[in-house]
Amino acid sequence: MTRGIALELESFRLPSAAEHIPCLICREGNIPGAETCRNCYAPMILARQALAHKTVPIMLAALGPSGVGKTVYLGMLLDMLSRQSSGLQLSARGGFSVTLQQMTMAALGHCEFPQKTPSEADRWNWVHCQLHRPKHRKPADFVLPDIAGEALFGEVDRPRSYQLIHWLLGRCDGVFVLIDGTKLQSGSIDEDFFTMKLLSHLSELRFNPKSPWRTRPVAVIFSKADQCEACFEDPRGFAQRHAPGLWRICQQRFPRHEYFAAGVAGACAVRNFENGGQQSVPLRIEPRGVVEPFAWLIDNLKI
Ligand SMILES: Nc1nc2c(ncn2[C@@H]2O[C@H](COP(=O)(O)OP(=O)(O)OP(=O)(O)O)[C@@H](O)[C@H]2O)c(=O)[nH]1
Ligand SMILES: [Mg+2]
Ligand SMILES: [Zn+2]
């Protein structure tokens, strides 16, 4: 026997259908009070804010495998830009836009690195900011999510398995691609393969014929460069020597790309746990090369 169950239908919301708000990432119409998009699960507060301010924000993303340093880099970048009194400056739109910066700086302040980003998209931090630039009267709005490396590579391996990442990659105006400088220097080839996979995926995306992916700027960042001085000395030469696959694909498919090195910690120690585990702890915070990739990306967006 089948027992009856009460199912809430959304038909009562039909009268307000005319007021559907398009999701900022995938453009799907959503009811005004929706928390997340019904198609891609992006937070709808971004779309509501963009609508209220009558802006179409620029979309940027930091891409790279889990553990490459995306959260640390973005948190530090936002903190630096929000405190600058000249040059590029950021101001957050909405309290939620401060969480990534706050969480990163709180962890670093306690001599820890922030937690790994969960794979579930509803737990990612999103940032919606206004960017003030010297010589530009009008500030530019931009949106930047802190996505999980595992989810990103899930989508790269099985396209359309993560709807949000699928739409987000299509929507991005420019990206930071992070690659672990210390691992490359120690001879690991996995990093080069990961990045080649990612860039190959991006170059095959077909969303907007007016803005094919190969015309968008790609800032390649060697992360954790505080532990690998060679990255700072000559990032381009470092790419050629240690990441030949990445080098070639950038040359062939992304005319607007540049190499950078960034590091956030001045010195690190290793904490040993009783169960045999280890954790890297930052002893000093000495950001280097953090703002340069962002400034290059913004210049190359031609906004
Ligand atoms: N020395 C050094 N280590 C870093 C730096 N940035 C990150 N790390 C190390 O890399 C680890 C991972 O950094 P995250 O920023 O959490 O990496 P992620 O790319 O966000 O990883 P997912 O959230 O899993 O995608 C940290 O816990 C640190 O051990 C850096 O600038 N210098
Ligand atoms: Mg992270
Ligand atoms: Zn959506």
Side-chain angles (χ1 to χ4, degrees):
M1 194 182 87
T2 315
R3 295 181 63 186
I5 54 164
L7 241 184
E8 188 186 343
L9 295 176
E10 294 205 344
S11 51
F12 71 96
R13 300 183 200 242
L14 281 176
S16 59
E19 307 155 22
H20 271 177
I21 299 179
C23 165
L24 200 61
I25 314 295
C26 73
R27 310 304 299 159
E28 174 80 20
N30 284 265
I31 54 168
E35 243 183 72
T36 54
C37 166
R38 61 190 174 137
N39 181 40
C40 76
Y41 310 108
M44 283 302 293
I45 187 164
L46 298 170
R48 282 196 291 273
Q49 287 196 168
L51 203 66
H53 297 293
K54 297 191 176 67
T55 55
V56 181
I58 301 154
M59 188 82 57
L60 301 178
L63 309 177
S66 178
V68 74
K70 300 181 292 298
T71 302
V72 172
Y73 174 75
L74 293 180
M76 180 53 80
L77 173 71
L78 296 169
D79 194 62
M80 290 176 78
L81 293 178
S82 65
R83 289 174 198 279
Q84 293 207 133
S85 51
S86 59
L88 293 175
Q89 296 168 40
L90 285 187
S91 49
R93 278 211 191 271
F96 69 93
S97 298
V98 184
T99 311
L100 174 60
Q101 168 188 353
Q102 179 193 12
M103 189 197 75
T104 309
M105 298 320 288
L108 293 175
H110 288 101
C111 286
E112 285 174 3
F113 284 110
Q115 299 284 317
K116 172 182 166 55
T117 310
S119 291
E120 300 82 27
D122 57 348
R123 294 173 63 197
W124 297 349
N125 284 308
W126 290 73
V127 177
H128 183 185
C129 275
Q130 271 199 313
L131 175 69
H132 305 265
R133 293 165 293 167
K135 299 190 200 141
H136 285 80
R137 206 170 47 83
K138 269 182 78 180
D141 268 44
F142 79 89
V143 165
L144 179 71
D146 178 26
I147 67 181
E150 278 166 12
L152 172 65
F153 278 88
E155 170 63 20
V156 170
D157 283 334
R158 290 175 304 282
R160 302 206 73 141
S161 56
Y162 278 86
Q163 282 300 320
L164 178 50
I165 296 190
H166 169 76
W167 289 106
L168 188 66
L169 294 180
R171 171 74 173 77
C172 267
D173 298 293
V175 288
F176 305 103
V177 170
L178 277 80
I179 177 162
D180 191 324
T182 58
K183 287 192 181 164
L184 278 178
Q185 198 179 37
S186 69
S188 163
I189 53 169
D190 280 351
E191 318 307 309
D192 194 23
F193 279 124
F194 268 137
T195 319
M196 277 162 65
K197 243 180 168 177
L198 174 64
L199 291 175
S200 174
H201 180 82
L202 293 180
S203 69
E204 295 301 328
L205 289 175
R206 300 278 176 270
F207 278 89
N208 179 359
K210 283 193 194 142
S211 166
W213 236 103
R214 62 189 153 71
T215 61
R216 305 183 200 180
V218 175
V220 179
I221 306 176
F222 295 110
S223 63
K224 309 181 193 180
D226 46 282
Q227 302 202 322
C228 173
E229 193 58 33
C231 299
F232 278 124
E233 283 161 10
D234 176 15
R236 189 166 271 272
F238 188 84
Q240 226 168 341
R241 284 192 303 280
H242 296 278
L246 157 72
W247 170 266
R248 203 165 311 115
I249 200 164
C250 282
Q251 293 287 106
Q252 290 169 349
R253 302 200 194 162
F254 295 94
R256 273 196 280 162
H257 71 270
E258 191 51 88
Y259 297 95
F260 299 90
V264 166
C268 285
V270 175
R271 182 183 289 159
N272 291 307
F273 295 106
E274 280 178 4
N275 63 7
Q278 289 191 325
Q279 187 188 37
S280 169
V281 291
L283 298 178
R284 278 199 318 274
I285 305 306
E286 268 178 32
R288 237 177 115 187
V290 173
V291 176
E292 289 82 348
F294 178 77
W296 178 87
L297 213 49
I298 293 296
D299 271 356
N300 279 272
L301 288 169
K302 299 199 173 25
I303 44 166

